Amino acid sequence: MTSMTASDTGRFVGRAAVVTGGSRGIGAAVARRLAAEGAAVVIGYRSNRAAADALVRAIEADGGKALAHGADVADPGQSEALIERAVAEFGRLDVLASCAGIEHFGALADLTPADFDRVFAVNTRGQLFAAQHAAARMREGGRIVLTSSVSASRAVFEHTLYAASKAAVESMVLNLSAELGQRGITI
């Protein structure tokens, strides 16, 4: 990945963002990009504090502003605390990039209610309540990105539970777009 500095484009200068699942993978890439474009970024992580702290240091070394905050999005109270941290530190919230998610492969015969609860708690409920808390703190012009998967619309062997959780996210976005659009918030 090419290093970018906060002055490369500046589209998000003066704005604050929260990235759930920001310590690695897609979330880390999103956090880097937002910071490179000028946003102050709160990197949400569930368990990998070392990776989140390393990303904060990398963003700061490139001239950006970031901090790490532990939050398990399966717990709506922790999502709310993550959002509130951004507002407390940066005085506002302009962007939520909800990238936290957990993968699951399993045959229908092997699925358990615990599997369902765990996958939907993070991938679906976690994104819904992160969006709710973010929207409550956003002004007109706010942006919310919820993460789905190609699995929501394409068959992948033994991927039913994960795919269903992501298809639910797509339905939430479709329906929330009308509601939040009335407030000038894009989802």
Side-chain angles (χ1 to χ4, degrees):
M1 172 179 239
T2 303
S3 178
M4 297 177 70
T5 65
S7 63
D8 282 347
T9 64
R11 293 188 310 157
F12 291 98
V13 170
R15 301 218 171 118
V18 168
V19 180
T20 70
S23 66
R24 61 189 182 93
I26 293 169
V30 169
R32 282 181 188 275
R33 183 60 185 235
L34 286 166
E37 296 199 20
V41 181
V42 176
I43 298 164
Y45 66 92
R46 182 179 58 87
S47 60
N48 197 340
R49 179 175 187 123
D53 287 341
L55 182 55
V56 167
R57 287 189 301 274
I59 287 170
E60 289 175 340
D62 284 340
K65 188 179 221 180
L67 62 90
H69 183 95
D72 181 348
V73 299
D75 177 348
Q78 290 186 40
S79 289
E80 184 175 23
L82 179 63
I83 298 300
E84 292 304 319
R85 177 81 187 274
V87 173
E89 292 288 331
F90 304 125
R92 60 188 297 150
L93 178 66
D94 303 284
V95 177
L96 167 67
S98 179
C99 301
I102 55 174
E103 183 70 80
H104 186 277
F105 282 90
L108 177 62
D110 298 329
L111 295 177
T112 68
D115 293 333
F116 180 94
D117 291 345
R118 183 176 55 85
V119 170
F120 271 76
V122 174
N123 294 358
T124 310
R125 186 181 69 206
Q127 294 201 77
L128 177 66
F129 287 104
Q132 179 189 57
H133 298 308
R137 301 303 295 208
M138 285 181 173
R139 299 177 253 189
E140 186 172 340
R143 301 287 186 259
I144 298 173
V145 178
L146 304 185
T147 306
S148 183
S149 168
V150 68
S151 295
S153 59
R154 291 206 171 127
V156 177
F157 189 69
E158 295 185 347
H159 215 213
T160 301
L161 185 57
Y162 175 82
S165 73
K166 294 302 189 168
V169 169
E170 291 185 12
S171 181
M172 291 186 317
V173 168
L174 178 66
N175 286 276
L176 287 172
S177 65
E179 180 180 345
L180 295 177
Q182 291 181 339
R183 296 185 39 217
I185 298 172
T186 300
I187 185 166

